[in-house]
Structures are given as C-alpha cells and as structure tokens.
Amino acid sequence: MSESTSNVVYLAIAVLDFVIAGWKCLALLRDRTPTLFLITVNFVASGLVFAMAAPAGYRMLGELTGVPSFATLPVYIGILSCFSLLHVLTMLWDPRLRERPAVLRRRVTLWSAAYLAAPAVMVVTFCSADLSGPTDHPLTFNTDFAGEPPVQVFLAVFLATLACGTLSTYRQCRKLKPADPRFQRALRSFGTAMLFVFGYVVCSAPAIVLAAFGNHALDTVGVLGSTFGSIGALITSYGLSGAAVGAWLRERRDIKALQPLWDLVVEGVDEDLAFSVDSARSRRLAWNVGFNLHRRVIEILDGMRALRPWVSPLPAAAVHAAQEQQERQERQEHQERQEHQERGASRCRADARRLSEQELQAAATAAALRDAVQRLQAARRAAAEQGYSGHPQPPEGPQAGLPGEDTPASDERQRLLRVAQALTAPLVATALEAVRVQRSATEAAERQ
C-alpha cells in the first residue's frame, strides 16, 4: 500500500469509526449497557489509531514529539486496546459464560491483566530503544528498526498479544450461537475480521525476523500486512454495526411504507392525533427513526380507534366474498386447463397467488378503514352543508370491530405494514365497489 493510498484509506476509516462512535454514543445515552459502552470506546480508539497510523498523522505526531517514529507506540497500544475490548465483548456475549458469573469474571480478569501487562512492557522497551534514525516510511517501522533488541522485544510482545487476542476472539465468535439470525451474521463477520487482522501478524513476523538478520527481502510483505489490518478493521466495523444499520434501514423503509395508512386514518380523520403534522413528512428526524416509527404506529392505532364508530362489517364481508369467488373461478379455470391439456392443447396461464390468512385479514382491515373514512368524510360534508360545526354524529347501532384488533403489541408493526400494502390491492377495490352497489340498492329500496 503506497503512502498516498494509505493516507486516503486510513483517514477514511478513521472518519467512519468516529461517525459510528458518535452514533453508538447517542444509543449509549438511551441504553447504558456494558457491551454498548465497550463498542463505543472501541470505535473511538479505532478512529484515533487510524488517524495516527496514516502517514500524514504519523509524521505530524513525530514532529510534535521530536521523535519521528513516536506514533508507533500509541498506534500499537491502541490496536491492542481495540482488540482487547472486542475480546472482552465476545466473552460478555457468551450465554454459557453468563450462566457462570464466577468463570466469566475470572476469564475477563485474566485476559484484562494480560492486555494491561503487554502495553506496559511495550512502553518500557520502546522508550529504551535507540530510535534516533528516521524511518524511510511510517509503514516500515517494523523492519527499519528490527535490528534493535528493545524493538525486537517490543514487536514480539505486540505481535504475540495481537495473535493470541485475535485467534481467541475468532474462536469465541465461532462458539457463540445467538438466536437472532442477524446477530449470527454479524458475529460471523466479526470472526472473519479477526482472521484478516491475524494476516497482519502472518505478514509482519517473517519480515521482521529476516530484517533482524539484515535481510530486507520481505519488507514489502511486511507492508502488505497493513492492508490486511485495514480490511479487518472495515469488517469489524460491519460486524459491530451492520445489524444496527440494517435495522435502521428497515425502520426507514417501514416508515415510508406506513405513510399511506397514516394519511388515511390520521391526516384524513383528525390531524390532532398526530404528534406533529409537519414532522410526519420531515427528514430532519431521520437519525431517530426508532422513535419516529413507534410514534407512527401509535398514531395509526389512535386513528383506527377514532374510526371505530364509522366502521361497517360490510367491507370485510365483501373482501371474504370476493376472495371466495376468485378462488372458485381459479378452480374452474384450473379444471378447464386440465381438460385442455388432456386433449393435447397447450394453454399456459399462471394462477393468481393465493392470499394467506394474514394477508386476507389485512385486506379486510384496509377495506373497512377506507370505507369508514369515506363515511366519516361524507357525514362531515353533509353536516357542513346544513351549517353544523363540530364532529358529525356517528351512525346508530352497535359498533363493528376491525379485523386483527386482538393482535399482540409485538406484532402490530407487521400487521399495519400488511394493511398499508393492501390499501390499493385490487381485491379491496372490488370489495368496496360491491359495498357501494349494495348500499345504493338498499337506499333505493328504502325510498320506494
């Protein structure tokens, strides 16, 4: 990796780490857990490491301290700090260890002691080494000073600790079997990142050994190890934040998908039900999508409750009748196709996808809501024409329930998404048209 490329890559990773650290810090303020704290500190440390490891930051720190290679010490200690935090994090994630607090405490204490002892030895050996000679390139410190015995101890402790930490973390990730599949994918990415970081050790160790004997044939291989470290850092960032980013994207998608339903039962019924009408379409709260989504679900449920007096059982019944008619027609067409095939005729036509019970319930709910809103708005127009103000009088008689009202709170989000998707379904339009015709016929009969 050339110096200019290293500057771009390292500083880009540093910016990414700081952005994720800020995001995690906001989450930490809402949910103060040890694991989230370790993740936040890890991203802060990783951002500092890559900022100092970039050739530009490396040389700037060297000029400030008067020692050209001084940045190597905080960079290497920072690397060990990052991976020690990740190792401790995987131990805290292990459900088997959490069931045995004494074992978990002992393992965390032993590894923490090792991760504290290694930097202490590194500080002593680094400070006792003769680093007066400038290095040709910040990434070649390992091979440029490999002839110095204190540097040899410094690098040996660093690489040995890094190798043990990454391999132990990889093994820990392989053993963890979380129930959430998204968490499983994140951990697999996390474990893969450890192997890439171990690739840095594999590349650096032989280059340092040969350089210690005056042979610099593998110096380029040693520099190549930094590429493995960068790739490992990126995969680690994904492993620690990929699931959260995926959840954030899904919440953003669900907010947009629920917008038509919100327009129908909140904006079309009573805007006072909304937390803020302007914020319903605002992009300024895009970072707090979790709050926006929960608020959107609550507002929609409030709007559906406000529509209860106007809900009629006719639309839901019409949906089921239309579905039954469609299924009968499909069975008849299927039988006709079989007869044609038996006669040797080739006639290919795909059957319409049969709705599941949940989708049929969502279609019935969507039809009932659209019909209720139409009845409410018609009553408002009639009241306005007669000069009445305030809320119109709802129809007399017992109130009809909405399909799916007994849905558990944990499943409401998915139910409302299905209802929002069903608002424009052909089945719903067919049912509403049937209800309109039925009511027109009833009104005509009553006038007679």
Side-chain angles (χ1 to χ4, degrees), residues 350-369:
D351 290 336
R353 188 177 69 86
R354 188 163 299 175
L355 297 179
S356 66
E357 188 65 30
Q358 289 181 333
E359 291 171 329
L360 185 59
Q361 183 189 83
T365 305
L369 290 175

Side-chain angles (χ1 to χ4, degrees), residues 93-95 98 172-188:
W93 278 342
D94 194 334
R98 288 202 301 268
Q172 194 77 20
C173 289
R174 296 281 293 180
K175 291 194 304 182
L176 289 175
K177 301 295 181 184
D180 192 336
R182 292 173 296 176
F183 196 39
Q184 290 178 5
R185 289 193 295 269
L187 276 176
R188 283 198 297 268

Side-chain angles (χ1 to χ4, degrees), residues 101-112:
V103 177
L104 175 61
R105 193 180 308 111
R106 183 167 62 252
R107 286 194 183 181
V108 171
T109 301
L110 291 175
W111 278 104
S112 299

Side-chain angles (χ1 to χ4, degrees), residues 299-310:
E299 290 172 355
I300 290 173
L301 292 175
D302 288 343
M304 292 167 66
R305 279 190 289 270
L307 280 173
R308 279 290 300 272
W310 303 92

Side-chain angles (χ1 to χ4, degrees), residues 40-288:
T40 304
V41 173
N42 171 76
F43 277 113
V44 172
S46 179
L48 292 173
V49 165
F50 277 99
M52 292 185 294
Y58 191 98
R59 290 201 170 95
M60 182 183 300
L61 193 57
E63 292 174 359
L64 290 175
T65 59
V67 180
S69 303
F70 176 79
T72 301
L73 180 61
V75 166
Y76 283 11
I77 291 179
I79 291 173
L80 289 185
S81 300
C82 289
F83 288 99
S84 64
L85 292 173
L86 297 179
H87 190 192
V88 172
L89 187 63
T90 57
M91 287 188 282
L92 295 177
W93 278 342
D94 194 334
R96 293 174 300 180
L97 288 178
R98 288 202 301 268
E99 293 175 356
R100 297 181 295 170
V103 177
L104 175 61
R105 193 180 308 111
R106 183 167 62 252
R107 286 194 183 181
V108 171
T109 301
L110 291 175
W111 278 104
S112 299
Y115 286 129
L116 290 174
V121 175
M122 290 170 63
V123 169
V124 173
T125 54
F126 187 88
C127 293
S128 61
D130 181 12
L131 304 175
S132 57
T135 179
D136 295 334
H137 192 288
L139 300 178
T140 61
F141 171 89
N142 293 354
T143 52
D144 287 345
F145 294 98
E148 287 285 326
V151 173
Q152 293 172 4
V153 178
F154 170 82
L155 294 175
V157 172
F158 168 67
L159 293 178
T161 307
L162 185 61
C164 292
T166 52
L167 292 179
S168 297
T169 305
Y170 169 77
R171 180 172 173 269
Q172 194 77 20
C173 289
R174 296 281 293 180
K175 291 194 304 182
L176 289 175
K177 301 295 181 184
D180 192 336
R182 292 173 296 176
F183 196 39
Q184 290 178 5
R185 289 193 295 269
L187 276 176
R188 283 198 297 268
S189 301
F190 197 15
T192 303
M194 297 303 107
L195 293 182
F196 272 97
V197 175
F198 182 69
Y200 169 80
V201 179
V202 173
C203 292
S204 299
I208 293 171
V209 171
L210 284 183
F213 290 98
N215 187 341
H216 292 271
L218 295 181
D219 285 11
T220 304
V221 176
V223 174
L224 180 64
S226 62
T227 304
F228 284 98
S230 301
I231 295 174
L234 290 173
I235 299 176
T236 300
S237 299
Y238 170 76
L240 289 174
S241 59
V245 171
W248 182 83
L249 292 174
R250 282 189 296 275
E251 289 174 344
R252 288 273 294 170
R253 179 199 62 198
D254 290 351
I255 288 175
K256 293 180 180 179
L258 288 172
Q259 187 65 47
L261 184 57
W262 188 94
D263 293 340
L264 179 69
V265 303
V266 178
E267 188 175 48
V269 175
D270 187 355
E271 291 186 349
D272 291 337
L273 294 171
F275 176 78
S276 171
V277 178
D278 294 333
S279 66
R281 305 177 190 279
S282 175
R283 299 179 182 274
R284 289 178 296 177
L285 297 178
W287 290 101
N288 200 6

